[in-house]
């Protein structure tokens, strides 16, 4: 592990978030001097705060400790088509079971309450469907999945959603 690269990675991620060393230190319960030492490559963050550091910087521990280069294998691989098919399966559940079926209603209610939204809007509105596709991809990326950026570029018609997913890919070392 290259301590200097780790420090540079922490500094770059902190700056991207618009945080000062003091801000980051406050969020983690350490001094700004500790953050400064990390960023200069003099010391590494204590293992007890690495997960919190990754959360604050919206990345993964391995992405920080690798100095920005992905070193761990991805937990899974997904495609935009897989995600879209999964969403369509939910729609099919409503068609096949009936929209008033308790199983379907509870599944929909759980999604709607958990995401503060209405998933059924996605079944009739391409823009909303693409929004849910992007959200599902983001969740998979944050869980350690690999998504091919070329696949993302090919399947999104809305530049906004495409760019958000591609930015998340980059944050997770996928280029």
């Amino acid at each position: 592990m290259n301590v200097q690269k780790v420090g540079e990675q922490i500094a770059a991620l902190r700056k991207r978030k618009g945080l000062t060393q003091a801000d980051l230190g406050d969020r983690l319960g350490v001094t700004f001097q500790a953050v400064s030492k990390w960023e200069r490559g003099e010391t590494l963050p204590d293992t007890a705060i690495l997960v919190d550091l990754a959360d604050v910087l919206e990345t993964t521990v391995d992405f920080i400790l690798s100095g920005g280069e992905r070193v761990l294998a991805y937990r899974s691989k997904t495609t935009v088509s897989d995600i879209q098919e999964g969403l369509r399966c939910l729609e099919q559940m409503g068609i096949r079971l009936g929209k008033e079926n308790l199983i379907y209603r509870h599944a929909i209610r759980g999604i709607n309450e958990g995401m503060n939204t209405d998933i059924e809007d996605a079944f009739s509105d391409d823009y909303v469907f693409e929004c849910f596709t992007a959200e599902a991809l983001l969740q998979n990326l944050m869980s350690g999945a690999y998504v091919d950026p070329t696949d993302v570029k090919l399947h999104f018609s809305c530049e906004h959603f495409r760019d958000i997913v591609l930015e998340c890919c980059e944050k997770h070392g996928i280029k």
Side-chain angles (χ1 to χ4, degrees):
M1 174 182 337
N2 184 328
V3 179
Q4 189 67 40
K5 279 195 165 271
V6 172
E8 291 169 4
Q9 181 67 356
I10 292 170
L13 291 167
R14 173 185 58 78
K15 290 174 186 173
R16 185 182 305 160
K17 294 284 298 165
L19 299 171
T20 66
Q21 289 178 339
D23 294 334
L24 182 57
D26 287 345
R27 287 192 177 180
L28 298 170
V30 300
T31 65
F32 76 89
Q33 293 94 335
V35 175
S36 178
K37 285 183 179 183
W38 302 338
E39 292 183 359
R40 290 194 312 267
E42 292 177 16
T43 62
L44 288 171
D46 187 87
T47 57
I49 64 167
L50 280 173
V51 172
D52 291 335
L53 175 63
D55 286 344
V56 170
L57 298 177
E58 295 181 6
T59 190
T60 61
V61 171
D62 65 299
F63 194 66
I64 292 170
L65 294 180
S66 69
E69 298 174 15
R70 186 83 179 184
V71 293
L72 297 178
Y74 294 98
R75 290 184 184 96
S76 62
K77 180 179 180 181
T78 192
T79 66
V80 176
S81 296
D82 288 343
I83 297 296
Q84 291 172 334
E85 184 179 339
L87 291 170
R88 291 287 177 217
C89 283
L90 186 59
E91 178 183 25
Q92 283 299 311
M93 189 164 121
I95 293 168
R96 294 176 189 273
L97 294 177
K99 294 195 181 224
E100 298 308 316
N101 182 286
L102 268 180
I103 295 170
Y104 177 74
R105 290 293 349 133
H106 284 291
I108 294 300
R109 187 179 69 205
I111 292 168
N112 289 349
E113 288 176 5
M115 296 180 69
N116 195 27
T117 189
D118 188 348
I119 184 77
E120 288 176 305
D121 288 346
F123 305 150
S124 60
D125 184 322
D126 290 340
Y127 180 83
V128 177
F129 186 81
E130 199 158 282
C131 177
F132 275 98
T133 301
E135 179 62 33
L137 281 167
L138 294 173
Q139 293 298 319
N140 283 4
L141 282 163
M142 290 187 283
S143 297
Y146 174 85
V147 179
D148 187 332
T150 303
D151 186 43
V152 172
K153 291 174 188 172
L154 290 173
H155 284 88
F156 278 90
S157 57
C158 179
E159 289 180 27
H160 174 72
F161 297 136
R162 181 198 66 216
D163 291 347
I164 289 171
V165 173
L166 290 174
E167 183 179 318
C168 189
C169 285
E170 199 167 308
K171 280 183 183 178
H172 288 84
I174 302 170
K175 297 176 183 174

